[in-house]
Amino acid sequence: MVNFTIQQIREIMNKKNNIRNMCVIAHVDHGKSTLTDSLIAEAGIIAGAKAGEARFTDTREDEQQRCITIKSTGVSLYYEIPKDKVPGDADGNAFLVNLIDSPGHVDFSSEVTAALRVSDGALVVVDSVEGVCVQTETVLRQALTERIRPVLMVNKMDRQLLELQLDMEELYQSVSRTIETANVIIATYKDELLGDVQVYPDKGTVAFGSGLHGWGFTLTKFADMYAKKFGVERSKLMSRLWGDNYFDPATKKWKTNPTGSNGKDIPRAFCQFILDPIYKLFDAIMKDHKDKIEKMLKGLNIQLKGDEKGFTGKNLLKTVMKKFLPAAEALLEMIVVHLPSPVSAQKYRVENLYEGPKDDEAAVSIRNCNAEGPLVLYVSKMVPTTDKGRFYAFGRVFAGTVKTGQKVRIMGANYVYGKKEDLYVKSIQRTVLMMGRYVEPIEDVPAGNTVGLVGVDQYILKSATISTSDTAHPMVQMKFSVSPVVRVAVEPKNAADLPKLVEGLKRLGKSDPLVQCTIEESGEHIVAGAGELHLEICLKDLQEEYCGGVPLKTSDPVVSFRETVSAVSSMTVLAKSPNKHNRLFMTAEPFPQGLSEDIDNKVINEKDDPKTRGKILSDKYGWDATEARKIWCFGPDTTGPNMVIDTTKGVQYLNEIKDSVVAAFQWATKEGVLAEENCRGIRANIMDVTLHTDAIHRGGGQIIPTARRCFYAAFLTASPQMLEPVYLVEIQTPDNAVGGIYSCLNKRRGHVISEEQKIGTPLLHVKAYLPVMESFGFTADLRSQTSGQAFPQCVFDHWQQVQGDPYKADSKSAQVVTSIRKRKGLKEGIPPLDNYLDKM
């Protein structure tokens, strides 16, 4: 029975201090959706008995079948907290928690980014057996760059007790290692405005428990119990219950070393006061000591009702633990007390979120989370409705109030302040509240809440900023941690269905924050995704949902490559313009190591001040200081990791051809010389230019094709190479399956970079590099080689040179170039240098 009405939720929406926007993030299969269930059961949306099995937030059919989360799902929950737990700034004891459950799979980490943008706090779930994994680190890093405050949940504690059967001290050590690892990651991304966000059990920011069994606790729970019993202050007890603190029963004093006054070892306080009762309960129930159980239940004052009296084994354990330490209570207290309300969070988040000046009316109204100010709403993702092909725009109101029928300005991803492009003025048909599988209509939603909008989906591609103020700038675009490197070509089996496919691709592009749908010059429709699984899900959706079941043909997955140069040009190349009056002289050279990555991560940016940028380049990469200031442009798309540098001295009219050369460079780096793939890590130097004195003879038509030919010639003389994307694979496996992993990786040109034993478990942690083009079917192959014991996780990591020389026919590099040229329908073989080079 749902124990709240929409009316109650609407009332709390105005009490901004009583709202918490949070999302649940973790590595794949660490138990996010299962844990979320106990919170949803507490709010009465699903039955308590079902919690843990229902996975309420996995709304799609394929999510339930595969047991993985694919899309992030939002639910609004209403709770009433005991009066003594309410934080100081809150108004009353009713709270509204807007919870978003996000996927853990690396292929869907774009969904996590979208979920993080609209939350202020994150519940990081870590499996107590596996510890902090690669994806835990990725999502934590994403959360901290968005300035989101984390709290930690150590999940699957029942496995430590039942499967691994650790004794208390081992369990404490294993859990404290996990917490330390998480804190190391958090400490590396320190942010002045956020302050210290590391998690500590004794501060109440870490919970322990089991999502499947529905029990969990923070140290506060036990500190409260013992504070009543011993008549000590709760805060004093909290600090004693974790770390190296020991209680000596003989002298009734606290000590910091484990030897008691009588010379015997005394157990750690955490083991003695917290783990001991839990261990005794587990032991008695699993060994079925009836009299012991009854005595304990009486002492803990737990009553079993009706059917529950007949339970034994795990069923009884689950029931008793749920009543003794309800998980929802521990989590809720953590969420309410330690995660920020929109009022406090938006004060420090506005710097990261808002593109315009930090003192205009929109920014001020975001900073104060002002519901009366101008509306600023960020749409972070589109959620498909039951109506085929239509979407709810899911987002968060940062300032103002969004109402049904309100007229708003919709600023899309390509909108630039002051221009008209990608800007629509439309009215919102309805506002709704997102409740997992269904939605609830609501009249208006004030600042600090998440909301679903109906009727604006035609104007938004993936994300947008919506505002009522004419002077508002758009919000900063989301930055994803993975890039779409795997592509497939899609075509309908019957040519008559092409319009349906085109329409379907448009809708698919909306439904996923990362997927890219493009049309190649050859007329192919390309869908690009982050990995095999991501593409599989996207294509399934495309066929069933968005194209209405039209049969489609898909090509084998294709990997995007990049082109680069590996040496300084062997000569200065010359190109003459068609009218023979202008000459360009250039060379090309590779970037120093690490510079391309810095440009990708926006450390070095096309918008930076040339002086500061020049200083970084000369200090860190040893470039000449005057040259480093004369960067004409980046490319491709004016933001990519290639540069044109003007190294000329005293050339007349040089600035007049700058625009033409920049345009040519964008073209040349978008379609490189080897196989028309994007270029990466190339620095082109303009050595000298001879121009005609008459302006009419050096227009764009003369310069652009010439400059492009000149760039190509320079690339060809600097020993060009192909770059391929490489995955970082993290594999968890028992010791005995390692052989299978090595043989599987060696077959696919992979190599292991580190291998470490997880202390206290029989698991090994293997990290390896695996080229993306070799990764198709890797998971299936690995499972068959290790009889299903190894679990791989692939994350795009870096670009590396393809081995061999593209000019030698039998090398790997030449095969790659040939296959790409064949696929694109280009002439066979790399174009010879004479095509582009002119003689004096």
Side-chain angles (χ1 to χ4, degrees):
M1 170 57 210
V2 180
N3 50 16
F4 58 85
T5 61
I6 299 300
Q7 213 50 49
Q8 281 173 305
I9 286 196
R10 181 63 194 88
E11 277 163 25
I12 298 194
M13 282 186 172
N14 296 333
K15 303 179 180 173
K16 289 175 293 200
N17 287 329
N18 286 29
I19 302 169
R20 297 287 181 271
N21 295 312
M22 45 98 49
C23 96
V24 188
I25 56 177
H27 185 80
V28 60
D29 285 340
H30 277 196
K32 293 174 295 299
S33 305
T34 316
L35 192 65
T36 320
D37 270 4
S38 49
L39 283 171
I40 293 172
E42 177 76 2
I45 295 180
I46 55 175
K50 276 233 184 84
E53 274 112 48
R55 300 203 314 285
F56 176 81
T57 47
D58 286 356
T59 49
R60 298 163 42 133
E61 236 172 83
D62 47 354
E63 291 183 319
Q64 288 288 351
Q65 281 163 6
R66 287 168 173 246
C67 293
I68 53 172
T69 311
I70 293 170
K71 299 280 181 209
S72 43
T73 319
V75 188
S76 297
L77 308 170
Y78 170 92
Y79 298 106
E80 287 176 3
I81 303 286
K83 293 269 195 318
D84 56 331
K85 295 271 169 62
V86 176
D89 58 358
D91 176 5
N93 69 335
F95 282 83
L96 172 65
V97 177
N98 294 319
L99 178 127
I100 301 174
D101 178 37
S102 66
H105 221 282
V106 58
D107 285 14
F108 310 119
S109 79
S110 53
E111 289 281 337
V112 181
T113 315
L116 287 170
R117 172 55 62 96
V118 296
S119 358
D120 301 317
L123 173 63
V124 184
V125 184
V126 178
D127 181 335
S128 62
V129 180
E130 292 186 5
V132 174
C133 295
V134 56
Q135 195 56 15
T136 320
E137 194 170 334
T138 318
V139 288
L140 248 177
R141 191 168 64 232
Q142 279 175 310
L144 293 163
T145 43
E146 282 272 355
R147 289 200 179 138
I148 281 166
R149 188 173 278 277
V151 290
L152 190 72
M153 164 81 189
V154 181
N155 197 15
K156 304 199 185 182
M157 295 283 279
D158 56 305
R159 286 183 62 188
Q160 300 259 25
L161 291 143
L162 300 175
E163 275 176 39
L164 299 175
Q165 307 216 338
L166 301 181
D167 63 35
M168 294 185 218
E169 185 59 26
E170 284 175 337
L171 183 112
Y172 169 82
Q173 294 298 350
S174 124
V175 169
S176 90
R177 260 198 306 276
T178 302
I179 295 171
E180 254 166 56
T181 325
N183 277 337
V184 168
I185 299 168
I186 295 173
T188 29
Y189 297 94
K190 197 161 168 30
D191 193 329
E192 294 306 311
L193 285 164
L194 250 185
D196 180 24
V197 289
Q198 294 190 33
V199 291
Y200 303 106
D202 46 349
K203 299 244 171 69
T205 46
V206 179
F208 309 91
S210 157
L212 185 66
H213 291 183
W215 60 270
F217 61 90
T218 53
L219 293 192
T220 1
K221 166 92 181 172
F222 280 95
D224 278 346
M225 282 185 353
Y226 289 119
K228 278 190 198 130
K229 195 170 167 185
F230 299 138
V232 199
E233 277 177 45
R234 181 174 96 181
S235 51
K236 274 188 186 164
L237 254 178
M238 281 280 285
S239 56
R240 291 277 161 79
L241 284 177
W242 185 257
D244 295 329
N245 291 304
Y246 305 87
F247 183 67
D248 189 350
T251 55
K252 299 225 161 116
K253 289 223 167 61
W254 288 94
K255 311 184 69 161
T256 50
N257 60 335
T259 32
S261 53
N262 52 7
K264 282 187 185 160
D265 279 0
I266 44 177
R268 188 183 293 274
F270 179 73
C271 302
Q272 186 184 352
F273 294 111
I274 296 175
L275 293 182
D276 193 46
I278 296 176
Y279 266 77
K280 280 186 179 146
L281 250 178
F282 264 73
D283 192 55
I285 292 175
M286 292 318 274
K287 290 185 179 155
D288 208 14
H289 297 310
K290 290 243 167 31
D291 42 345
K292 258 195 196 170
I293 299 174
E294 273 177 30
K295 198 171 150 198
M296 281 173 144
L297 294 187
K298 211 172 197 172
L300 293 170
N301 168 13
I302 295 173
Q303 264 115 35
L304 296 177
K305 300 191 178 71
D307 300 349
E308 298 170 348
K309 288 180 180 152
F311 285 178
T312 54
K314 272 199 175 167
N315 282 346
L316 177 64
L317 183 67
K318 203 170 163 180
T319 317
V320 171
M321 289 305 287
K322 233 184 220 172
K323 296 192 171 188
F324 172 37
L325 303 166
E329 249 176 53
L331 290 173
L332 256 161
E333 178 191 322
M334 213 161 56
I335 291 166
V336 168
V337 180
H338 296 288
L339 292 184
S341 64
V343 185
S344 53
Q346 286 181 202
K347 282 192 176 56
Y348 54 78
R349 284 192 69 196
V350 66
E351 312 286 329
N352 280 27
L353 291 174
Y354 188 64
E355 255 183 24
K358 304 291 179 266
D359 50 4
D360 66 358
E361 62 165 353
V364 170
S365 138
I366 294 175
R367 190 173 287 117
N368 302 332
C369 190
N370 181 6
E372 311 299 314
L375 171 72
V376 179
L377 184 154
Y378 187 79
V379 174
S380 75
K381 61 172 291 197
M382 311 295 278
V383 182
T385 62
T386 43
D387 201 10
K388 285 260 161 85
R390 294 302 299 273
F391 294 88
Y392 297 118
F394 175 73
R396 159 153 172 198
V397 190
F398 283 97
T401 305
V402 60
K403 301 185 185 68
T404 300
Q406 187 177 27
K407 214 178 179 72
V408 292
R409 287 161 58 93
I410 302 172
M411 302 177 255
N414 303 328
Y415 171 75
V416 181
Y417 182 72
K419 297 216 175 99
K420 285 276 186 291
E421 191 188 343
D422 214 358
L423 171 73
Y424 303 94
V425 179
K426 298 289 175 217
S427 56
I428 291 166
Q429 289 176 13
R430 287 185 299 135
T431 49
V432 293
L433 200 62
M434 304 303 279
M435 293 295 278
R437 308 180 179 198
Y438 49 95
V439 294
E440 296 281 357
I442 191 165
E443 273 181 19
D444 55 342
V445 176
N449 290 286
T450 53
V451 64
L453 307 175
V454 180
V456 290
D457 55 335
Q458 302 97 304
Y459 313 109
I460 300 175
L461 179 58
K462 289 176 181 345
S463 61
T465 311
I466 295 182
S467 177
T468 49
S469 152
D470 292 347
T471 57
H473 286 249
M475 307 281 258
V476 177
Q477 282 300 310
M478 293 184 291
K479 193 172 160 297
F480 298 120
S481 69
V482 288
S483 49
V485 283
V486 184
R487 307 152 45 170
V488 289
V490 187
E491 53 179 339
K493 285 210 171 115
N494 315 331
D497 294 328
L498 191 63
K500 279 187 184 168
L501 174 69
V502 175
E503 192 51 44
L505 283 168
K506 273 189 197 149
R507 292 174 186 164
L508 176 69
K510 280 196 170 133
S511 71
D512 188 291
L514 188 74
V515 75
Q516 287 177 356
C517 304
T518 48
I519 300 177
E520 293 269 303
E521 282 174 9
S522 56
E524 290 180 305
H525 293 274
I526 300 283
V527 179
E532 224 181 334
L533 181 67
H534 186 208
L535 263 184
E536 189 186 320
I537 301 284
C538 286
L539 293 173
K540 179 174 172 294
D541 280 2
L542 178 66
Q543 185 159 354
E544 293 173 9
E545 296 281 319
Y546 306 124
C547 291
V550 170
L552 301 175
K553 276 200 306 212
T554 53
S555 69
D556 288 339
V558 175
V559 180
S560 336
F561 288 84
R562 295 282 185 272
E563 299 185 17
T564 188
V565 298
S566 56
V568 181
S569 287
S570 53
M571 57 193 245
T572 303
V573 295
L574 153 76
K576 295 181 192 167
S577 63
N579 62 12
K580 305 286 183 275
H581 287 309
N582 308 299
R583 293 175 180 184
L584 300 174
F585 297 86
M586 296 185 192
T587 60
E589 58 181 278
F591 271 3
Q593 220 175 355
L595 180 55
S596 310
E597 284 73 20
D598 274 358
I599 295 175
D600 285 343
N601 300 332
K602 297 280 198 289
V603 179
I604 293 170
N605 204 328
E606 79 281 1
K607 292 179 182 154
D608 291 342
D609 174 54
K611 278 190 179 168
T612 48
R613 185 174 58 202
K615 193 166 172 16
I616 298 175
L617 287 170
S618 59
D619 293 354
K620 191 170 170 186
Y621 297 110
W623 282 15
D624 182 304
T626 45
E627 287 178 8
R629 284 188 190 179
K630 289 199 200 162
I631 296 175
W632 271 13
C633 73
F634 290 70
D637 305 326
T638 66
T639 55
N642 304 289
M643 294 181 197
V644 180
I645 293 181
D646 163 24
T647 61
T648 56
K649 305 276 187 291
V651 173
Q652 277 178 312
Y653 318 120
L654 185 63
N655 277 345
E656 292 182 27
I657 65 157
K658 181 172 173 182
D659 285 350
S660 304
V661 174
V662 167
F665 186 68
Q666 302 304 337
W667 184 6
T669 49
K670 186 90 182 150
E671 296 178 354
V673 67
L674 290 179
E676 297 202 356
E677 292 280 330
N678 288 359
C679 293
R680 179 184 174 84
I682 303 180
R683 162 181 164 172
N685 303 314
I686 301 176
M687 305 303 283
D688 191 15
V689 183
T690 322
L691 294 171
H692 194 275
T693 45
D694 195 351
I696 202 154
H697 291 306
R698 49 166 199 263
Q702 298 290 341
I703 301 294
I704 295 180
T706 312
R708 172 173 170 254
R709 282 208 337 269
C710 201
F711 284 126
Y712 279 170
F715 297 169
L716 282 175
T717 54
S719 61
Q721 288 281 355
M722 297 299 284
L723 293 174
E724 60 177 347
V726 179
Y727 277 147
L728 170 68
V729 190
E730 181 161 312
I731 306 172
Q732 293 227 329
T733 165
D735 301 345
N736 52 11
V738 176
I741 293 177
Y742 275 90
S743 68
C744 199
L745 281 168
N746 290 341
K747 270 195 289 203
R748 297 170 174 266
R749 295 195 295 127
H751 63 275
V752 174
I753 46 173
S754 83
E755 174 181 320
E756 53 186 70
Q757 180 79 33
K758 267 316 223 351
I759 309 167
T761 64
L763 290 178
L764 266 179
H765 232 80
V766 181
K767 284 187 180 168
Y769 285 139
L770 176 73
V772 174
M773 59 189 283
E774 305 287 343
S775 71
F776 303 116
F778 171 67
T779 313
D781 194 13
L782 185 69
R783 295 229 167 115
S784 68
Q785 293 249 356
T786 57
S787 59
Q789 291 176 307
F791 285 94
Q793 264 293 83
C794 301
V795 194
F796 167 70
D797 190 73
H798 65 278
W799 296 90
Q800 79 176 15
Q801 273 193 22
V802 182
Q803 287 158 348
D805 180 353
Y807 285 105
K808 288 201 179 117
D810 53 350
S811 69
K812 181 79 189 162
S813 189
Q815 289 166 7
V816 167
V817 173
T818 317
S819 70
I820 298 176
R821 292 189 73 91
K822 195 168 165 191
R823 189 180 86 233
K824 293 188 174 176
L826 306 170
K827 261 196 232 156
E828 271 190 30
I830 300 168
L833 184 58
D834 304 351
N835 283 15
Y836 304 117
L837 191 65
D838 288 329
K839 302 280 180 287
M840 274 301 273

